[in-house]
Amino acid sequence: MKLMKLFTHQMNISGGGGFTQDLVISSKDIPGLKVGDVVEIYHPEDEYSRLLIQVTSLKEELQHRDALSLDQAVASTFQLRALLQVYVKAINPSDISLDLVELTFKDQYVGRSEMWRLNQNLIGSAVYINKKIEFCQLVRCQVNEMWSKGERVAGGLITNDTRIVFRSASSMVYLFIQMSSEMWNFDVFGDLYFERAVDGFLGDLFTRWKKEGCNHEVTIVLFSRTYYEAASIDAFPSEMRSKVTADFRGRFYEDYYRVLVHNERSDDWHKMLTQLRIAFNSYPEEVLEASHKKYGQQNVPKAYNSSASHGNFLEVLNMSLNVFEKHYMDRSLDRTGQLSVVLTPGVGIFEVSRELTSITKQRIIDCGIGSDLVCVGEQPLHAVPLLRFQNKDMLDTDDYNIPHWLNLSFYTTNKKLGYSNFVPRLRLPVSPSTKDNVRLMKSQSERIHPGCETGSLNQLFDYDAYDAQVFTLPTQVQRQNFKPVTRKESRNTSVPPEVNPEQKKSIPTRPVGLVDYLSTSHAPTLFQPRKEFGKNYDSDDTPGSRTVIGSEGSPLERQLAYRPKSRPGRALINPFDPSRVPVKHTSGRRRWIHIYPRQPDGTTLDLGFKVALDSESYKKLADYRVQLRSTKVADEPFSPALTTGVDWKSLTTPACLPITTDYFPDSASLQKDYVVSDYTISPDDVNVDDYNRKGSRRPLETSQVYREFISQRLAQGFQLIVLPALSKSSARHISVREKSADSIKKVVNPSSSFIRSLSHVDPPTKESLLSIGRIFHKITLLGSAITVTGYKPRHPYDGRKFSYIYNLRTPYIKYYQCLRTDFYTEKLQHFNWNHMDHYICTGGSPDYALTESSKYWRLRMCFLPLDYSKRFRQDPPSPSSNEDRTFDGFTKFLENTVNRMRHSSKKKIHSPLERTMSTIQKGEKTTRTRVHSVRGRVEKSSFRPEGRNSPSLDLESSTSSDSLYQEKPSSEPPKKITADSPLSEVADILKCSLPFLEKFEDLLPPTTFLSYEAIHYLVEDHGLSRACAGELLQKLLSEGYIIHASGSKTVLHFVPGFHLYCFSKISSPARGKEEAIGTGMAGDYPAFEEEFVEVNYDRYFENDLCQLINCFKADDEEILIDASKKYRNDLHKLSVFKEAYIDVDVTGRSDRKEWGHLLYPSYFTPNASFVAVLKWVEATGVVIFDLVLGWVRKAQINGFLLVPMPMDPLFIGNSGRCDPFRAPLTIPMNVKVIEECLEKFPASHWLHRLWLLHDAVARRFSYIPSIFENTRRFQVQYVHATGYSFLVMPIAPEKDSTVSISNRLSYFSKVGSSNADSNFGSSDYGLPLIEKNGLRMPCGFLWVANYLLTKKWKVSQTKESQIVDENAHSKCFQDLTRFCQDETFLRDFFRL
């Protein structure tokens, strides 16, 4: 310990001067101090505030002796004052080890792979509260909280045993508000439960979001279930019967969802409370009267709102899971984390389907999604949340389950009653008031009390004695009286106690109530450690409930008698004393265990219960929670007086799924319940042919492959299994560290090839265990070979599928659409990890291409000509003024940004437009010299090959071959090339005139040029037509003067566009003879296609509105057919896609090799959008974000608007798993006007003319044709010039195309148009139909907004491209709808 003087400084991260460390200290002041040591700093008078900080560097000498300097922010956090004396002493690392560290981040996409790599990087480093951490200049996060030995600390050292929890302040949050009947009830304080939910809970939640600086992407949905008073399906209109669903009781219902906001971000969400209050007032009428308004008041039975317990709780969770499971699609690059919050006025009791419960549980656990249930009702006096199963075959019993996969919170206000501090937690049942209820109660009473004429309840029975026996586990002798059951049955059932005849007489038969549990019902544990016990039990909403006696809680309306024979082999569990429930460890229950700190004895400390009546009760609860995680039986009785508050941390900064877990089955379970398989990969053998290949793609080394195998599994939801060292008490566990072959043989199939190989090799170098659900992987590195051993369950879960029909209202419409979606569990055991591992091992080889089942991350982007977005407000918009400018800008983008090439010559190169303007300004004649080029590159080439292993190109150095292409002064003007010029002369002129391209590692021949530049040079400099120039270059290719830049002889056609060619021979002035030109790819055309993006250029799609209208009105059949045929050919060409390898880490910041793939169209035209998909699995999210952001900036410079696009823009995919909260909006056209125009022409031409009409209307509103990689045949989709919205025509210029496209829309039920009173005729998918000659031709559009175009994308655009306001997509939708339905507008449009 040494006393030193403290100074402060401001840390300069950029390194441009000043200190770049948070601690500056001299090695001379503290002898023996070295880099990596941890020192403790504190004032002598303030010993409570101590800073633990690590020495990252030592100065030989400072300006002052016995002095040190701290970062100003760090000193302020720990109240260390400058110019005062502080104690400094070195600390033993073992004394300050941390058990848990919480890191928070914001506005970043941090994948699980990056979390693991950051975790490994932090081992051995000291952290303190609010410390900023940066990993490879990629991931930026901050230390939020630290735990050591069960207590919060302000600093410490991260070790191998430290658990690191990642929390995100920018997550995707789905907030569901259940609008059940209780929302309109009053609580004990006289407030509506809606006011309690919105003004209370949501107000507090939004305040915390604002205080913490959260930037969540929020979706708010109101949902409810509407029941109908109908005895049979015949009571409904025939058109409505397919939309109505019946529950197990035979009651008919519909589910409604109203989306208020979708994927929006805001700095202050309090303004949303006003919108919620407005929606609250209109919600009952719009959902209860929706069907009555559509089908008639007299035709639809009376509707009423359900209670919270009978609502669509599990359905809404599954709908959010349909979105969360597709997190790898439409990947947002500035958010991380997913959270589903259900806000209900109930008390945590729900009546659910057993099948749907199983699906929901498995999906939530497998996906690792946080699901919070917030109740604003009073907390009941028993265990919640409680799921009551719907039993179709056993109507006389109730089965219950307590889900451990839900995080339950109860929101309570600070209000107090004026006359008492007591808050009632029981809701008194409604007394019977009708004759039917009295008769029902009398019938039930007579059944419970035989021989009692009045049915009174005054007769007393010893219910306590009955309950004591019911909850007593049967003895071994009793178990022998029952037939044996299978292993599968034994996991789900247990044996009930014997009841002798006398006991049967003394114990009344009664309905099985709340205490009747499944053996799978357990007390709240693990992921749901915050269960609340103790408030009101919310009975069913049906009238006639009777007084509850003892633990009985079953409603009277069921009229069910207790019959022990209907529940064979089952013992009941008392929910009022859940502390005596034995809990079994499973992988699902331990999935989230590592987000909680540990106590000194090593058990998990849970902070779920926030409020208790006294400290002694809190201590009992903490002990109970710890015992649950240790699979022991608690000794302390559970007290219903324990209550809890809201888990604000989970709702404010949701935790990401932990990287580690601690469960692995024992050897006996592995042998009986699992199927073992293994395969071995030797990277050296797999990549033997790729080590000498040229290009960006490089195979990985063995150690890198091993790490990437782990990294990729973590990214797909696996967790690393961290087990304690082998000991007597934990001999069944397998250590994840190095171990001998004998210890491995105990848990692996002895007959496997892996074990046979172990007898002849040394112990494994490295080994890791990973798990997801009931699937376990063991990855072993043995020398130069990697063995992957997989453990799959012998009896996997059934592939259940649940079809669901619901009604949805999106923010842009005022009516509900009837839609359908599917809920089903993914079969994780079918994931082809062998294929994925070979893809990683080969560094992304096309032999192991990514497939849809690979769950690769992807982002679709759309390139839109910027001049379209500038002109979209013109009425009508004018056609493109200069297509050459668009071609020129796109070529620059492909050359400099995507392919990252440069020109090898230093001469200044001008485009035709630049040369023309320069000639006009100087008043000179338009003469051309060899130093001119066809395309403009005004700026000097600043290309530098990226990547750590890429050698840079030195333009200043000149090799012997470079001298062959240097310009020589010439007084003679160049000869003019004509169509009849000799090919040798043409080749010589082109060699001296065209600019050549080059790329790092000599991947291109030295005379490589672009076909686009060659054609433009011949057109602009020599006056040839484009067709003649193309024919001349084709002759050069055919005669062997030029070849494809890959060196392949199989390329026989010269393609105009961004295609690379080179001269096969050059003249060497130094040697006076011709020499052959070598090529970098050695004739490997597939490898060349993988390395370079090559695109054909052409002019497709008519862009003149007048021309389109003239084709529509043409009497000549040939004109119509030619226009239709041309359009079909254009669609066919633009639907061909290619794929190229992309080195995504252009700045070389990552700590590993990263790559991706670009899927792009093979054709580009200025009159259509250019859609490309970026795909990756081996890339960091921040690296992809930087790459895309750079593309956005470069695209704007070159005259393009780059916007993201959803993978399924119109949400009409065939999988049934599209985003269930989105649907295309219908824009019907006025059929009356359309039919009047079509009547003038033969009926056989109607389909073609109707298609031309739709195309003209779309172009009129600046919608550009867009072809996607998965577009169906002849399906035409459009994107707006600003990227704000999309359109689709459900028809196409071919008779059989309309049917195929309509089939794709089969998920949409028949719904009316937005105008219920419109006279647009019969509708299909919301669109009016024109029927002629057996064809049903929809007339209108489907429209949807581009939800991926967030504010961050808009801000990244330049001022020049920001030409629309925030509500542009809404205005565009309104304008287009008004135009399509207005007769005057349509008639005037046809007269163009």
Side-chain angles (χ1 to χ4, degrees), residues 856-870:
Y856 58 86
W857 286 258
R858 68 203 76 174
L859 175 64
R860 176 187 279 165
M861 297 168 290
C862 181
F863 293 82
L864 300 169
L866 199 56
D867 59 346
Y868 272 95
S869 60
K870 294 177 183 178

Side-chain angles (χ1 to χ4, degrees), residues 4-7 24-26 29 62 64-69:
M4 305 180 69
K5 190 174 183 180
L6 176 64
F7 293 88
V24 179
I25 193 170
S26 174
D29 294 335
L62 294 178
H64 303 277
R65 290 183 57 83
D66 295 335
L68 77 159
S69 181

Side-chain angles (χ1 to χ4, degrees), residues 1197-1214:
I1197 295 174
N1198 295 302
F1200 284 88
L1201 191 66
L1202 180 59
V1203 297
M1205 289 183 64
M1207 295 301 297
D1208 189 3
L1210 296 170
F1211 312 101
I1212 53 179
N1214 290 321

Side-chain angles (χ1 to χ4, degrees), residues 999-1023:
K999 193 174 181 178
F1000 65 91
E1001 294 187 356
D1002 298 329
L1003 296 181
L1004 293 175
T1007 58
T1008 301
F1009 63 93
L1010 286 175
S1011 61
Y1012 170 76
E1013 293 181 341
I1015 290 179
H1016 268 276
Y1017 172 75
L1018 293 176
V1019 171
E1020 296 294 332
D1021 290 50
H1022 299 274

Side-chain angles (χ1 to χ4, degrees), residues 457-469:
L457 300 178
N458 294 330
Q459 187 175 359
L460 299 179
F461 294 92
D462 192 357
Y463 283 110
D464 293 336
Y466 173 77
D467 288 344
Q469 178 173 349

